[in-house]
Amino acid sequence: MPPDPLTMMPGQLLARGVSRHFASLGWVTVEELVPTRGLRVDVMALGPKGEIWVVECKSSRADFMSDSKWEGYLEWCDRFFWAVDDGFPTDLLPEESGLIIADSYDAEILRMAPEDKLAPARRKVMIQKFATHAARRLHVLRDPGAGLSV
Amino acid sequence: MPPDPLTMMPGQLLARGVSRHFASLGWVTVEELVPTRGLRVDVMALGPKGEIWVVECKSSRADFMSDSKWEGYLEWCDRFFWAVDDGFPTDLLPEESGLIIADSYDAEILRMAPEDKLAPARRKVMIQKFATHAARRLHVLRDPGAGLSV
């Protein structure tokens, strides 16, 4: 079953809008991918040329302030963005990252993140992880009787 | 919504068993991926080291005899298999391809396919296609309100 918007957390609703925006650009996204033990990204977006962008969705000041891990995401993507709603105090966010304003229906990139390109070997690993993550989650939804877990 | 087994075609039920088997090996699969215009594979399996195998599911002699395209799949994978049920006249199948016996619950590789490794550039393209296909289908299921199509 798809997640019910009424029970989604605020950050998940932002992620939904972010994913819709990337889809409109011809990119694909997954949520909650684990690039390495102890890290889990809100949205990982894959571009048509193998670009890998990470978007962390923050629903409130407290949500942002409690995140001590975000710098760990930088080495797993070409560009890193924050996604927040239009009431978020964006002055809090580090200027050297990208900024996306989102709601649960759509999103817009307000500030492009600087590019720090993945090395080819790591890009290969990340696209493999992305493919595996997406296909496994899809399989769980397609065939609930298979007894798979994610 | 996941597909209803009661309305699935015989070939789709074989594909379900094949996909469950690959999942048990730690591989992931997608169905109906289009490697190039005019071709659509029943099951594409992606291994942990980036291996790409194609499995065509044939529910009957007629289903096999009407397939004039299968040789076109060979150049898009490292190994090519037929998946059939245990009543299928397997003598019909070309010996130089792999053989999987399947039902809707599981499958078993009876004859390993010969390996004809993809060139690195094509493997990269195929893993990107696999990732894109899986993530887009997942997105459609996760967020039916997004108005996406596959």
Side-chain angles (χ1 to χ4, degrees):
Chain A
M1 296 291 293
D4 179 350
L6 294 177
T7 62
M8 286 166 80
M9 304 289 287
Q12 292 177 309
L13 290 166
L14 294 177
R16 192 180 82 167
V18 167
S19 290
R20 287 186 182 186
H21 180 67
F22 277 103
S24 77
L25 301 175
W27 288 45
V28 289
T29 55
V30 292
E31 298 180 17
E32 301 181 339
L33 183 143
V34 174
T36 190
R37 188 187 292 258
L39 289 181
R40 191 166 62 174
V41 308
D42 288 338
V43 177
M44 181 166 278
L46 174 66
K49 293 174 183 168
E51 306 94 324
I52 304 255
W53 294 3
V54 163
V55 185
E56 283 301 292
C57 300
K58 294 299 171 191
S59 60
S60 66
R61 177 192 179 93
D63 190 12
F64 170 70
M65 298 301 281
S66 65
D67 184 345
S68 58
K69 293 186 171 176
W70 72 271
E71 284 172 301
Y73 300 136
L74 300 176
E75 61 179 298
W76 304 100
C77 57
D78 299 310
R79 297 183 195 264
F80 176 85
F81 298 80
W82 301 101
V84 297
D85 69 27
D86 61 5
F88 188 94
T90 53
D91 290 353
L92 287 178
L93 302 172
E95 280 194 13
E96 66 277 18
S97 38
L99 177 59
I100 294 175
I101 300 294
D103 59 24
S104 55
Y105 297 97
D106 201 357
E108 188 181 354
I109 297 174
L110 242 70
R111 183 174 69 227
M112 180 55 68
E115 184 177 50
D116 187 5
K117 272 201 179 180
L118 292 171
R122 178 160 288 188
R123 184 182 312 284
K124 196 172 152 185
V125 167
M126 290 312 296
I127 295 174
Q128 171 85 20
K129 274 185 196 276
F130 186 105
T132 302
H133 177 101
R136 187 161 294 143
R137 298 251 170 156
L138 175 64
H139 198 177
V140 168
L141 291 179
R142 277 184 58 80
D143 184 7
L148 302 169
S149 59
V150 290
Chain B
M1 296 294 292
D4 179 350
L6 294 177
T7 62
M8 286 167 80
M9 305 287 288
Q12 292 178 308
L13 289 167
L14 295 178
R16 192 180 83 167
V18 167
S19 290
R20 288 185 182 186
H21 180 67
F22 277 103
S24 76
L25 301 175
W27 289 45
V28 289
T29 55
V30 292
E31 297 180 18
E32 302 180 341
L33 184 144
V34 174
T36 191
R37 190 188 292 259
L39 289 181
R40 191 166 62 173
V41 308
D42 288 338
V43 177
M44 181 166 279
L46 174 66
K49 293 175 182 167
E51 306 94 326
I52 304 254
W53 294 4
V54 163
V55 184
E56 283 300 292
C57 300
K58 294 299 173 193
S59 59
S60 66
R61 179 192 179 93
D63 190 13
F64 171 70
M65 299 302 279
S66 65
D67 184 345
S68 58
K69 292 186 171 176
W70 72 271
E71 284 172 300
Y73 300 135
L74 299 176
E75 61 178 297
W76 304 98
C77 58
D78 299 310
R79 298 183 195 263
F80 177 85
F81 297 80
W82 300 102
V84 298
D85 68 27
D86 61 6
F88 189 95
T90 54
D91 290 351
L92 287 178
L93 301 171
E95 280 194 12
E96 67 278 19
S97 37
L99 177 60
I100 294 174
I101 301 295
D103 60 24
S104 55
Y105 298 97
D106 201 357
E108 188 181 355
I109 296 174
L110 241 71
R111 183 174 69 227
M112 181 55 66
E115 184 178 49
D116 186 6
K117 272 200 179 181
L118 292 171
R122 178 161 287 188
R123 183 182 314 281
K124 195 172 152 185
V125 167
M126 291 312 296
I127 295 175
Q128 171 86 19
K129 273 186 198 273
F130 186 104
T132 302
H133 177 101
R136 189 162 291 141
R137 299 251 170 154
L138 175 63
H139 198 176
V140 168
L141 291 179
R142 277 183 59 79
D143 184 8
L148 302 170
S149 59
V150 287

